Amino acid sequence: MTLLDRIAVPVPIIQAPMAGTSTPEMAAAVSNAGALGSIAVGATDAAGARAMIDAVRARTDRAFNVNLFVHAPPRREPARERAWVDALAPLFAEQGAIPPAELREIYTSFAEDDAMLRLLIDQAPPVVSFHFGLPSADRIAALKAVGCLLLATATSLAEAEEVRKAGIDAVVAQGWEAGGHRGMFDPDARDDRLGTVALTRLLVAKSGLPVIAAGGIMDGASVRAMLDLGAVAAQLGTAFIACPESSADQWHRAALASEAADHTVMTRAISGRPARCLANRFTAWGEANEGAAPDYPVAYDAGKALNAAAKARGDGGYGAQWAGQGAPLARSMPAADLVARLAAEAGFDR
Ligand SMILES: Cc1cc2nc3c(=O)[nH]c(=O)nc-3n(C[C@H](O)[C@H](O)[C@H](O)COP(=O)(O)O)c2cc1C
């Protein structure tokens, strides 16, 4: 039985969890269309996750994925944080705003979120996925004990080996092309920047796990190519941003539909971790300044405040407009139609 057969998902496509962009409506539409929908709860707490899970379950009886951030808790370095806020101050001033006096750790890692663990044990979602690292063995055992199928992102063979040793069911091979945050466990480690094709093939050959390919996959031809490489499924994020069910704001949508989509940048300046974003004024500023960013998610507190100040003035140039290198191929249509289109292009019988 293949991985997706275990959860009765006939179409080997996963709608990527996208914190701030994917929604329960999107996840349910994708799952009802025969693929696997995902919600991302890394940017909320247990109560927020509970509401999102309820919203998915109200719309579908099919399997869905709940995605968690498992980042190492940030180092708090007051002098570095102060210097970062000072460096951003001119950008805030241009928006008629002042930067926050103190930066906060805006998201709690699942590694230390006991309330989230209790919620997941109680709710037992069919699939749980981890990004940025792995939780402890006891947390993994607790989720497996209630029947969750577990996935984790890897950007290298070494990370995939950790995923296998932890007893995770499948690995998401996230290539350098991918939109959003790079799932590397240690953002300060050397990064070989493996592309989706090389990484997928490497993990199929050597990881000993079912592989889900992610990064730059925008249409059925690319999905098919990943399956030909030995992947059991393809995970697509950017392809779903322009769907009506997404919560991407008007600036993100407009940039994706414009020539701005031709240029993406991997930057740490917005959140403190490498993430691929449509080129905008924040990524341009980051090219000279990102080396001084505090750790994720502390830097993100400043980045979100700057974006909020700019948006209040109608300026979308400082958004976390995450997107992968395939961005110019994005299509705007309901998520269920997109799944049907992808399946038809890939030649799947549904
Ligand atoms: C807007 C956006 C938000 C994302 N947020 C998350 C997230 O919350 N959790 C996660 O595991 N991956 C997240 N990702 C990464 C995806 O899981 C996936 O690796 C990526 O979308 C694949 O590349 P593609 O965007 O080129 O399809 C995000 C990607 C995008 C584009």
Side-chain angles (χ1 to χ4, degrees), residues 130-223:
F130 306 119
H131 203 51
F132 300 144
L134 297 166
S136 60
D138 56 333
R139 283 175 189 248
I140 290 172
L143 293 171
K144 289 184 105 168
V146 295
C148 302
L149 185 83
L150 301 182
L151 316 178
T153 306
T155 62
S156 66
L157 180 58
E159 287 173 351
E161 278 169 352
E162 287 191 51
V163 170
R164 182 181 51 75
K165 283 185 197 144
I168 304 294
D169 296 288
V171 63
V172 179
Q174 190 198 37
W176 180 245
E177 300 92 321
H181 280 100
R182 193 150 167 74
M184 58 198 305
F185 294 6
D186 175 2
D188 297 320
R190 179 193 161 89
D191 188 352
D192 289 314
R193 303 181 175 187
L194 296 177
T196 304
V197 168
L199 180 64
T200 297
R201 200 70 194 134
L202 184 61
L203 299 197
V204 166
K206 299 200 174 201
S207 75
L209 285 171
V211 176
I212 297 155
I217 304 165
M218 300 298 291
D219 54 23
S222 297
V223 172

Side-chain angles (χ1 to χ4, degrees), residues 30 98 105 124 140 161 167 212 265 288 300 337:
V30 168
I98 48 167
E105 190 179 331
I140 290 172
E161 278 169 352
I212 297 155
V265 180
Y300 214 177
D337 293 353

Side-chain angles (χ1 to χ4, degrees), residues 14-22 38-43 65 67-69 129-132 152-153 172-183 196 213-218 235-241 248 252 276 296 300 320-327:
I14 300 175
Q15 164 253 312
M18 297 184 282
T21 301
S22 59
S38 303
I39 49 171
V41 303
N65 168 33
N67 173 257
L68 300 150
F69 293 151
S129 65
F130 306 119
H131 203 51
F132 300 144
T153 306
V172 179
Q174 190 198 37
W176 180 245
E177 300 92 321
H181 280 100
R182 193 150 167 74
T196 304
I217 304 165
M218 300 298 291
Q235 177 163 306
L236 287 67
T238 302
F240 285 92
I241 295 174
H252 197 172
R276 186 172 295 284
Y296 175 95
Y300 214 177
Q321 290 151 351
W322 308 139
Q325 290 180 339

Side-chain angles (χ1 to χ4, degrees), residues 84-101 103-104 106 249 251 269-271 280-286 289 298-321:
W84 185 245
V85 168
D86 288 347
L88 284 166
L91 304 184
F92 277 91
E94 277 172 24
Q95 304 297 338
I98 48 167
L103 298 182
R104 298 159 305 155
I106 54 173
D249 67 23
W251 295 280
I270 297 177
S271 73
N280 62 19
R281 291 211 299 293
F282 210 162
T283 65
W285 180 86
N289 296 282
V298 176
Y300 214 177
D301 193 21
K304 284 177 179 281
L306 175 58
N307 183 37
K311 278 170 51 166
R313 290 197 154 193
D315 178 350
Y318 292 97
Q321 290 151 351

